[in-house]
Amino acid sequence: MSRCLSERSIDHVVIERGEVANSWRTERWDSLRLLTPNWQSRLPGFGYEGDDPDGYRTVPDVVDFITAYARACAAPVQTSTKVTSVRRTDGGYLVDTNRGDWECRTLVLATGACNIADPPPVATAVPPGIPSLTPHQYRNPAQLSGGGVLVIGASATGTQLADEIHRSGRPVTIAAGEHIRAPRVYRGKDIQWWMDAAGVLDERYDQIPDIERARRVPSLQLTGSPKRLTLDLNALTAIGVKLAGRLVGISHGKAQFSGSLRNMCALSDLKMDRLLDTIDAWATERGLDGEVEPPHRFPPTRVEASPPLSLDLTSGEIKTIIWATGFRPDYSWLHVPVLDAKGRIRHDGGVVPSPGLYVMGLQFLRRRKSALIDGAGDDARDLSAHLADYLDGRIG
Ligand SMILES: Cc1cc2nc3c(=O)[nH]c(=O)nc-3n(C[C@H](O)[C@H](O)[C@H](O)COP(=O)(O)OP(=O)(O)OC[C@H]3O[C@@H](n4cnc5c(N)ncnc54)[C@H](O)[C@@H]3O)c2cc1C
């Protein structure tokens, strides 16, 4: 957004509570690599120029990439400045920070979609003595005591942590609710390449039937490993990870799991096949069938006949619980009445219903790719155009 504002000669400042790329410096586990390939981290005027376009960046690589971008754009970033309150004024907004106030006519909230790890209310019923960790607190398996680990949630974070922790010699059970299965590579190409090329990632918020639902869809079960491995539930059970259904409660020290695991997995297989159907149709239409590997389908997710419906957390088997149940933004400092009853910010493709106020970086904000690094550019171009019109008085 800073780059797009500069292109329009709109005077601005970027306020950051930490350093540039703060979330990547402070909130990620050690082994994490982007699940999007190198070529896909495209920012306005800045793409990948290395010799490994199909590789996946490590966290230090991401920090370097974003820092280099801020430098290349000469972004006016004011670091170590935490916004503590935002209020409406007659002409715009008053932004309080730990280093003084700012007044502005327009304000873009780019504080991220994942500020707070979001365990369900049942997390408070974990028996005392079993440490609970969120992905923001988890760094590596050495931080955990020996013994079993229960991972709640089977999207990108849950599957990656289950894999790493199980391989460290700590037996893992993973509780899988709704999840989206995807192969890393299909017909010889990265699944992100297919989704990008076929236009799936460019689908717009105002052109899909149920945007509220689409904004809640969990992340794809993907990992960025040098070997381009698929990390679905079959990959986890193949190394010995145990599968359970969605965690629905904890009562008298016993975790209770939904009996719907088989259905959840069947649904996930079905959705993956639908995505692959879309890709195959697009490949045929574009005449690619002779150039790439032929279409094929993957074996269904293996689920044992009677998956466990409960697990005694007091038996000593489980030593740690990891809540890989998603994240949410933090708007505790936003004193403008634009949040709904669930605390979510109301917006129309990033245009917040308060004059001159915008939000970026949220799930499916304007496009399916909006919460990816690759989605920021198009959204910033659109929203900076709207913001310029507002400043010029063309929008009320
Ligand atoms: C575990 C995980 C893995 C991910 N993997 C990928 C991936 O593989 N590929 C991909 O494209 N995307 C990935 N993402 C999404 C990724 O976070 C975004 O693409 C990208 O970081 C979003 O950038 P952003 O600037 O919108 O938000 P953020 O990176 O969250 O940046 C928000 C910034 O706002 C600052 N801030 C927040 N509150 C305040 C305040 N009150 N005052 C001042 N500053 C504040 C924060 O310090 C932070 O620097 C992942 C996210 C997570 C959580």
Side-chain angles (χ1 to χ4, degrees), residues 160-181:
Q160 290 181 29
L161 299 193
D163 181 63
E164 167 167 285
I165 294 168
H166 193 83
R167 288 178 191 279
S168 77
R170 294 162 179 82
V172 168
T173 300
I174 187 166
E178 185 190 358
H179 57 273
I180 314 285
R181 185 181 176 200

Side-chain angles (χ1 to χ4, degrees), residues 15-18 22-24 28-29 32 34-36 81-83 110-112 114-115 157 327 333 361 371-374:
I15 297 180
E16 168 55 58
R17 63 183 168 187
N22 190 55
S23 62
W24 292 96
R28 306 287 187 260
W29 57 95
L32 179 69
L34 287 191
L35 49 73
T36 41
T81 306
K82 182 173 180 174
V83 173
T111 45
C114 302
N115 310 118
T157 300
F327 304 91
W333 39 266
L372 296 177
I373 292 170
D374 195 45

Side-chain angles (χ1 to χ4, degrees), residues 204-239:
R204 286 180 55 96
Y205 78 108
D206 47 4
Q207 288 171 355
I208 66 154
D210 187 353
I211 184 61
E212 289 310 317
R213 165 93 189 110
R215 285 181 174 148
R216 290 197 306 273
V217 167
S219 57
L220 267 60
Q221 284 174 337
L222 282 180
T223 188
S225 68
K227 291 185 178 161
R228 303 174 94 195
L229 298 175
T230 291
L231 185 58
D232 55 13
L233 296 182
N234 280 353
L236 289 178
T237 51
I239 61 167

